[in-house]
């Protein structure tokens, strides 16, 4: 059974959150080129109209503290773009070297688009150091920013009508395009979380799209750790099953 276009984790490796690599075009190019990002790149500038409210990089104005390789910020990966460092410093007002969920929400809303607190809590849970409380330091922040850059490239490719939203068909195509053939029943169940109860078609903003993608990828990666032969089946204990699933259910409520 194929789980997608990414390398399987070894059983001894803990879950490292990331986004799948954007696949090569197999059809005529869409409206804009795909965007991928590494920690050495500046915060992204979107090809979308600014009225959509996302893709705006934190301004390099005098409102940010100057970047520094010293102080509490020496843990950024080598080559991290100064704007990413400044974005972190801007919200780390107590200069503790860590940011909490409210501070992360502020900086991501400035750098990408409005992020709901549910998505923020899921990202905090996935990216925080296992031995830390619910907060992220420079290294985790750079990895998170990098991951969101990849997800945004996927979002922009599959938002075919350039609406700034992903509808159910676009979500199906996006997940399939990065290697996840999610059954329709599972997709419906996932989308029901974002329904407003009026019966209108669900459309996902970037933050909800990231949340969906991270849930699908995270649970698939966890399952793969148990399905070592990649057959599509696995045997696991009740405790292991609950430990696998519960974090994705409770961390963003």
């Amino acid at each position: 059974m194929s789980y997608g276009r990414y390398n399987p984790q070894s059983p001894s490796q803990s879950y490292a959150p990331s986004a799948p690599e954007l696949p090569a075009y197999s059809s005529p190019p869409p409206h804009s080129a795909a965007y991928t990002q590494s920690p050495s790149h500046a915060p992204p500038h979107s090809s979308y109209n600014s009225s959509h409210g996302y893709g705006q990089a934190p301004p390099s104005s005098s409102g940010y503290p100057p970047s520094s390789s010293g102080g509490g910020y020496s843990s950024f990966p080598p080559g991290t773009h100064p704007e990413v460092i400044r974005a972190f410093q801007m919200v780390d007002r107590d200069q503790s070297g860590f940011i909490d969920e409210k501070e992360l929400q502020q900086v991501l809303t400035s750098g990408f688009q409005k992020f709901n607190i549910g998505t923020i809590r899921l990202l905090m849970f996935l990216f925080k150091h296992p031995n830390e409380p619910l907060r992220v330091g420079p290294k985790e922040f750079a990895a998170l920013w990098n991951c969101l850059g990849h997800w945004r490239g996927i979002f922009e490719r599959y938002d075919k009508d350039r609406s700034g939203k992903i509808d159910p068909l676009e979500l199906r195509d996006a997940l399939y395009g990065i290697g996840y053939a999610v059954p329709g029943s599972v997709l419906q169940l996932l989308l029901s979380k974002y329904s407003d109860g009026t019966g209108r078609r669900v459309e996902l903003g970037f933050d909800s799209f990231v949340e969906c993608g991270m849930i699908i990828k995270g649970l698939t990666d966890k399952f793969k750790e148990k399905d070592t032969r990649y057959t599509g089946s696995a045997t696991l204990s009740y405790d292991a099953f609950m430990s696998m699933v519960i974090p994705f259910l409770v961390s963003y409520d």
Side-chain angles (χ1 to χ4, degrees):
M1 179 177 179
S2 172
Y3 292 99
R5 302 183 181 92
Y6 51 88
N7 295 325
Q9 284 190 312
S10 65
S12 62
Q13 183 182 8
S14 62
Y15 172 59
S18 62
E21 292 296 327
L22 202 59
Y25 288 122
S26 58
S27 57
H31 297 287
S32 67
Y35 177 85
T36 58
Q37 184 182 2
S38 73
S40 62
H41 290 159
H45 293 274
S46 174
S47 59
Y48 283 0
N49 187 292
S50 61
S51 63
H52 289 143
Y54 62 88
Q56 302 304 306
S60 55
S61 67
S62 58
Y64 286 115
S67 61
S68 171
S69 58
Y73 302 101
S74 58
S75 296
F76 278 101
T80 300
H81 195 281
E83 288 295 329
V84 177
I85 298 174
R86 280 195 285 267
F88 184 92
Q89 291 176 332
M90 177 186 70
V91 293
D92 180 24
R93 293 186 179 88
D94 61 0
Q95 298 184 359
S96 65
F98 294 94
I99 57 176
D100 61 23
E101 63 182 35
K102 292 293 186 182
E103 292 167 333
L104 182 62
Q105 184 180 38
Q106 179 184 346
V107 71
L108 292 187
T109 297
S110 173
F112 287 90
Q113 72 147 70
K114 182 179 180 181
F115 269 74
N116 68 68
I117 195 64
T119 304
I120 292 294
R121 287 172 181 162
L122 177 63
L123 291 172
M124 291 283 288
F125 176 81
L126 293 176
F127 280 89
K128 77 179 186 71
H129 190 279
N131 298 328
E132 289 287 345
L134 207 59
R135 60 182 188 173
V136 294
K139 182 178 179 181
E140 295 81 19
F141 178 74
L144 192 158
W145 196 283
N146 173 49
C147 178
L148 291 180
H150 281 276
W151 279 116
R152 201 187 68 170
I154 297 166
F155 185 93
E156 291 195 8
R157 172 179 290 188
Y158 289 96
D159 178 20
K160 299 294 178 60
D161 59 3
R162 318 306 293 163
S163 65
K165 299 284 186 179
I166 291 286
D167 65 30
L169 290 179
E170 291 170 336
L171 178 63
R172 181 202 64 186
D173 291 347
L175 293 173
Y176 186 81
I178 57 179
Y180 300 97
V182 182
S185 57
V186 174
L187 203 58
Q188 264 191 330
L189 188 61
L190 186 59
L191 285 169
S192 67
K193 169 180 169 56
Y194 305 97
S195 172
D196 60 6
T198 64
R200 291 183 298 183
R201 183 179 66 168
V202 175
E203 293 185 319
L204 304 179
F206 178 62
D207 55 347
S208 298
F209 172 74
V210 168
E211 188 175 307
C212 284
M214 294 298 280
I215 290 170
I216 294 294
K217 184 181 186 300
L219 287 174
T220 300
D221 285 351
K222 285 292 188 183
F223 185 85
K224 282 170 56 186
E225 293 175 9
K226 304 299 181 182
D227 180 19
T228 55
R229 296 184 179 181
Y230 307 110
T231 62
S233 299
T235 300
L236 62 160
S237 68
Y238 177 73
D239 286 351
F241 170 76
M242 296 297 282
S243 297
M244 176 191 299
V245 174
I246 289 296
F248 290 92
L249 300 180
V250 302
S251 61
Y252 55 86
D253 282 342

